[in-house]
Amino acid sequence: MEKSFNFPYGRAQRTVTVPGENLGWVAAPRAAPAVPDLEAAVLAALRAPVGSPGLVELVSRHGTKTVILVDDGTRATPQKAVLPVLLDELNRAGVADEQVTLLIGLG
């Protein structure tokens, strides 16, 4: 039994059909509900991350010189919403703006 997949292609979509005998499995992200307040969610994650101390504690342990790796504009990361919250929290932890370096990871 064949399976068809739709992929974004520019401003349109393309459909690819794969014969069943050539298809081992399909891995796809699960649907997740939208985050109602992205800034609050980012702040909560910075203050109480899963499996790690919060940002303020990490700064107190490791120092204030900070490098932030940011993906480039071709990615869907909402940097415009995330970076100000992150920088404010770093400032709250005692990191001056002059101690922060942003590296843009070109994809």
Side-chain angles (χ1 to χ4, degrees):
M1 178 177 180
E2 61 186 29
K3 174 106 173 132
S4 294
F5 300 92
N6 294 315
F7 295 98
Y9 186 80
R11 293 194 171 129
Q13 286 205 358
R14 298 281 189 206
T15 301
V16 175
T17 303
V18 179
E21 63 269 11
N22 294 342
L23 186 63
W25 69 89
V26 177
R30 287 185 252 157
V35 175
D37 185 346
L38 181 59
E39 290 178 13
V42 169
L43 187 58
L46 292 171
R47 291 185 176 172
V50 176
S52 173
L55 185 61
V56 172
E57 185 177 337
L58 289 173
V59 168
S60 70
R61 284 187 193 177
H62 300 287
T64 56
K65 192 160 182 139
T66 304
V67 176
I68 301 171
L69 182 60
V70 180
D71 52 4
D72 66 16
T74 64
R75 307 296 176 199
T77 306
Q79 295 135 340
K80 207 180 239 185
V82 173
L83 277 176
V85 178
L86 174 57
L87 292 171
D88 286 347
E89 192 68 0
L90 283 167
N91 291 156
R92 190 176 86 83
V95 178
D97 290 343
E98 296 78 25
Q99 295 174 299
V100 176
T101 300
L102 293 176
L103 284 177
I104 309 300
L106 302 175

